[in-house]
Amino acid sequence: MKNLSFYKRFSSSFGEYPSLSRFLVVFAVSGGGLVAYSEANNIQSGATIDELPEAGSEKKRVVVLGTGWAGTSFLKNLKNPSYDVQVISPRNYFAFTPLLPSVTVGTVEARSVVEPIRNIVKKKNLNVNYWEAECYRIDAKNKKVYCRSSQEDKEEFVVDYDYLVIAMGARVNTFNTPGVEENCHYLKEVEDAQKIRRTVIDCFEKASLPTLSDDERKRILQFVVVGGGPTGVEFAAELHDFVSEDLVKLYPSVKDLVKITLLEATDHILNMFDKRITTFAEEKFHRDGIDLRTGAMVVKVSDKEISTKVIKTGEIATIPYGMAVWSTGIATRPVVMDFMKQIGQANRRVLATDEWLRVEGTNSIYALGDCATINQRKVMEDISAIFQKADKDKSGTLTVKEFQEALDDICDRYPQVKLYLNNKQMSSLVDLLKESKGDVSKEAIELNVEEFKSALSHVDSQMKNLPATAQVAAQQGSYLADCFNRMEECTKNPEGPIRFRESGRHRFRPFRYKHLGQFAPLGGEQTAAQLPGDWVSIGHSSQWLWYSVYASKQVSWRTRSLVVSDWMRRFIFGRDSSQI
């Protein structure tokens, strides 16, 4: 009764003081942004949307394929009015994908995590076109993209470009497992989350019918999640909370039949996180009654059963299910694969770019986000050129002074050098050179080219590909937009590192990813946070940090307000169980 009277007083306060709701939203969002990584949105007016550039225009045409994290970040940060921007995507909105697991159970509504792309570009002082269409072919030789309308008529058209930004994301990777496409749900788009939400409720409604046997009810209420990465783990946690906090009250007759199973092919879930987080997550799932099966690889999916193989023993087992969600990784889209064949990258798994996000083998095409990876150049490929550039007196040996003068350019061009030094706990490359020469004073160090090669021979072992995350894609979009904003200025006055194999400098500094941390919501208002500096936090306090960061990272004040209000609604009224 006390709780009921509290809710009555709480609700009546909003009726008596309407401004209170706005205050709470602003307080939660702005306060959260101050706590963690808040970023300001520069809003400008005077946009021109859907107007083609006039014939004879001297403006360069930039075509952007995709409205995901990379493409939207590029559009938001592009400020140079000397471009005509053409945005092409079958999705006319940006979706805040980290909240999709929350959408699957109604913690957050689907419309709260999407922002129409036209709302974003209308704030820009640029000429911007948006067409709802899908690019099905890229002609790099003639600088054209071939597109097909997303409308019913499927009309096709061709767009010319001066610069092309490929930010099309990736598709779900089924690993050619039989039955996955026909029987499993994915969790990559907003439509996927909505479909999962309807299916969950549908399973409970079916299981409540009086004509079913107990075995059939158990099968229908068996929910299987394939993939122990962040998305799979968060969805399993959200589904468990939805069932235990809301659905058991609405479907009391079948509450004891519900079972959630999480399958992971490796030995642990959340492999990209600190081991402390992995251990805590596994223990919590066991306490919550989630059936966690590691080392189990899915080999086949039928309409009612999933077949798994225990990797260590080869034993085959079957799991009956009512709904299965496949969340195991990403694969390259067919249009990108076709483009890779054109430019000589057919043998690669994903589109390769240089450190400036320019597609290798092209001059005016850039690729960002999940559809591409940076092919970081190895130090040993350029070791002789580096030595010659640093050896200014052409003596055939490299002194410490000569090396220090080239040190900043080396670290800028080859980030693996700094990573190697950090792992070896060395303050500078001079320490590495001194180590290779033994017990010699710093001033007396002189290395010939072979000794120099030997000193840096292990540096490339620190090279790693960037993860396919929203954080990486957003930073790449922002970086490329900054390059386009200062293209003319940096062409005249290059600011990048020395070209070791050629003369002069690179126009821009290479892209450098700055890891700001990662979260793993584990259900029960508990979240694991791993932030820079090896800082790990697990529990309720991290959950509030998660709320703060995700509110501050919304693309607009509209979506911030909607997401925060959805969280408040869930706290007060619970999650909605309708099939709408």
Side-chain angles (χ1 to χ4, degrees), residues 313-377:
T313 64
E315 179 185 355
I316 301 294
T318 59
I319 304 172
Y321 74 92
M323 185 189 78
V325 175
W326 187 272
S327 177
T328 60
I330 58 175
T332 305
R333 294 186 184 275
V335 61
V336 177
M337 294 174 67
D338 179 65
F339 171 61
M340 291 167 64
K341 292 177 182 177
Q342 293 181 39
I343 60 175
Q345 294 191 24
N347 296 326
R348 295 190 60 88
R349 185 180 59 85
V350 66
L351 190 60
T353 73
D354 61 19
E355 297 87 337
W356 293 268
L357 308 184
R358 184 175 51 229
V359 175
E360 291 187 344
T362 69
N363 292 320
S364 57
I365 302 178
Y366 300 83
L368 322 175
D370 295 352
C371 69
T373 186
I374 296 175
N375 190 16
Q376 176 63 51
R377 192 167 181 84

Side-chain angles (χ1 to χ4, degrees), residues 32-97:
L34 289 173
V35 171
Y37 321 133
S38 177
E39 58 184 22
N41 288 324
N42 295 322
I43 299 177
Q44 300 179 1
S45 59
T48 304
I49 303 176
D50 290 346
E51 291 183 6
L52 286 169
E54 297 179 3
S57 172
E58 294 182 359
K59 291 185 175 182
K60 296 288 187 180
R61 177 179 289 187
V62 180
V63 173
V64 181
L65 302 179
T67 53
W69 280 93
T72 301
S73 177
F74 176 79
L75 292 171
K76 283 187 65 180
N77 290 280
L78 187 64
K79 301 173 183 177
N80 192 333
S82 63
Y83 300 109
D84 280 309
V85 184
Q86 320 293 321
V87 185
I88 300 171
S89 173
R91 191 175 71 180
N92 74 343
Y93 57 84
F94 164 79
F96 192 86
T97 51

Side-chain angles (χ1 to χ4, degrees), residues 58-60 78 80-83 163 366 480-495 507-508:
E58 294 182 359
K59 291 185 175 182
K60 296 288 187 180
L78 187 64
N80 192 333
S82 63
Y83 300 109
Y163 297 104
Y366 300 83
L480 188 61
D482 184 61
C483 291
F484 272 72
N485 291 336
R486 300 183 299 115
M487 186 82 74
E488 186 176 349
E489 172 190 342
C490 290
T491 299
K492 295 176 181 177
N493 301 298
E495 62 178 27
R507 277 189 299 182
F508 307 102

Side-chain angles (χ1 to χ4, degrees), residues 409-515:
D409 288 304
I410 293 173
C411 290
D412 266 357
R413 186 67 182 83
Y414 309 97
Q416 61 266 39
V417 173
K418 188 170 289 186
L419 287 174
Y420 183 77
L421 293 176
N422 290 340
N423 288 341
K424 296 280 285 186
Q425 296 183 340
M426 294 181 177
S427 59
S428 72
L429 266 174
V430 175
D431 294 333
L432 184 61
L433 300 182
K434 186 176 179 180
E435 181 184 62
S436 68
K437 292 293 287 186
D439 190 17
V440 180
S441 64
K442 186 173 75 172
E443 293 75 13
I445 295 177
E446 284 194 20
L447 288 84
N448 59 36
V449 66
E450 293 303 322
E451 291 171 330
F452 187 61
K453 288 180 181 179
S454 176
L456 300 181
S457 59
H458 300 294
V459 166
D460 290 326
S461 64
Q462 298 301 310
M463 293 174 62
K464 294 180 181 179
N465 289 331
L466 295 177
T469 63
Q471 192 175 158
V472 171
Q475 289 186 29
Q476 287 179 336
S478 178
Y479 165 83
L480 188 61
D482 184 61
C483 291
F484 272 72
N485 291 336
R486 300 183 299 115
M487 186 82 74
E488 186 176 349
E489 172 190 342
C490 290
T491 299
K492 295 176 181 177
N493 301 298
E495 62 178 27
I498 290 174
R499 296 179 183 269
F500 287 105
R501 287 185 172 271
E502 303 169 14
S503 60
R505 289 183 170 272
H506 292 279
R507 277 189 299 182
F508 307 102
R509 292 183 180 276
F511 171 74
R512 292 291 176 263
Y513 169 61
K514 184 178 181 182
H515 186 60

Side-chain angles (χ1 to χ4, degrees), residues 197-484:
R197 181 176 177 179
R198 289 192 293 268
T199 304
V200 169
I201 301 301
D202 192 46
C203 286
F204 275 86
E205 293 293 352
K206 283 182 181 177
S208 299
L209 295 175
T211 56
L212 297 180
S213 65
D214 287 342
D215 287 342
E216 185 66 8
R217 286 192 178 93
K218 286 181 180 179
R219 182 191 68 78
I220 291 173
L221 294 177
Q222 170 88 306
F223 301 97
V224 178
V225 184
V226 183
T231 301
V233 167
E234 185 174 351
F235 170 67
E238 285 276 8
L239 181 59
H240 174 268
D241 286 355
F242 186 31
V243 171
S244 61
E245 296 174 6
D246 299 282
L247 295 184
V248 294
K249 301 172 186 177
L250 302 175
Y251 304 90
S253 62
V254 297
K255 65 180 182 180
D256 295 329
L257 303 178
V258 181
K259 186 176 182 180
I260 300 172
T261 301
L262 178 61
L263 303 176
E264 168 57 36
T266 62
D267 293 334
H268 297 282
I269 61 174
L270 299 176
N271 287 309
M272 68 294 299
F273 283 80
D274 187 277
K275 290 183 179 179
R276 291 168 287 181
I277 291 176
T278 297
T279 301
F280 180 87
E282 291 174 349
E283 292 175 351
K284 185 180 186 304
F285 275 15
H286 286 307
R287 292 195 303 269
D288 290 343
I290 296 175
D291 182 18
L292 177 60
R293 303 189 187 185
T294 56
M297 181 176 66
V298 176
V299 294
K300 184 181 178 182
V301 182
S302 69
D303 60 342
K304 293 183 179 180
E305 288 184 339
I306 291 179
S307 300
T308 64
K309 181 174 73 173
V310 180
I311 294 177
K312 291 183 178 179
T313 64
E315 179 185 355
I316 301 294
T318 59
I319 304 172
Y321 74 92
M323 185 189 78
V325 175
W326 187 272
S327 177
T328 60
I330 58 175
T332 305
R333 294 186 184 275
V335 61
V336 177
M337 294 174 67
D338 179 65
F339 171 61
M340 291 167 64
K341 292 177 182 177
Q342 293 181 39
I343 60 175
Q345 294 191 24
N347 296 326
R348 295 190 60 88
R349 185 180 59 85
V350 66
L351 190 60
T353 73
D354 61 19
E355 297 87 337
W356 293 268
L357 308 184
R358 184 175 51 229
V359 175
E360 291 187 344
T362 69
N363 292 320
S364 57
I365 302 178
Y366 300 83
L368 322 175
D370 295 352
C371 69
T373 186
I374 296 175
N375 190 16
Q376 176 63 51
R377 192 167 181 84
K378 295 180 179 180
V379 171
M380 296 309 293
E381 292 177 353
D382 298 333
I383 193 71
S384 297
I386 294 172
F387 185 88
Q388 290 175 9
K389 283 281 187 179
D391 184 20
K392 293 184 178 180
D393 61 3
K394 307 302 178 185
S395 63
T397 59
L398 200 61
T399 64
V400 169
K401 182 180 179 182
E402 288 175 325
F403 186 74
Q404 284 178 325
E405 290 175 356
L407 185 59
D408 289 340
D409 288 304
I410 293 173
C411 290
D412 266 357
R413 186 67 182 83
Y414 309 97
Q416 61 266 39
V417 173
K418 188 170 289 186
L419 287 174
Y420 183 77
L421 293 176
N422 290 340
N423 288 341
K424 296 280 285 186
Q425 296 183 340
M426 294 181 177
S427 59
S428 72
L429 266 174
V430 175
D431 294 333
L432 184 61
L433 300 182
K434 186 176 179 180
E435 181 184 62
S436 68
K437 292 293 287 186
D439 190 17
V440 180
S441 64
K442 186 173 75 172
E443 293 75 13
I445 295 177
E446 284 194 20
L447 288 84
N448 59 36
V449 66
E450 293 303 322
E451 291 171 330
F452 187 61
K453 288 180 181 179
S454 176
L456 300 181
S457 59
H458 300 294
V459 166
D460 290 326
S461 64
Q462 298 301 310
M463 293 174 62
K464 294 180 181 179
N465 289 331
L466 295 177
T469 63
Q471 192 175 158
V472 171
Q475 289 186 29
Q476 287 179 336
S478 178
Y479 165 83
L480 188 61
D482 184 61
C483 291
F484 272 72

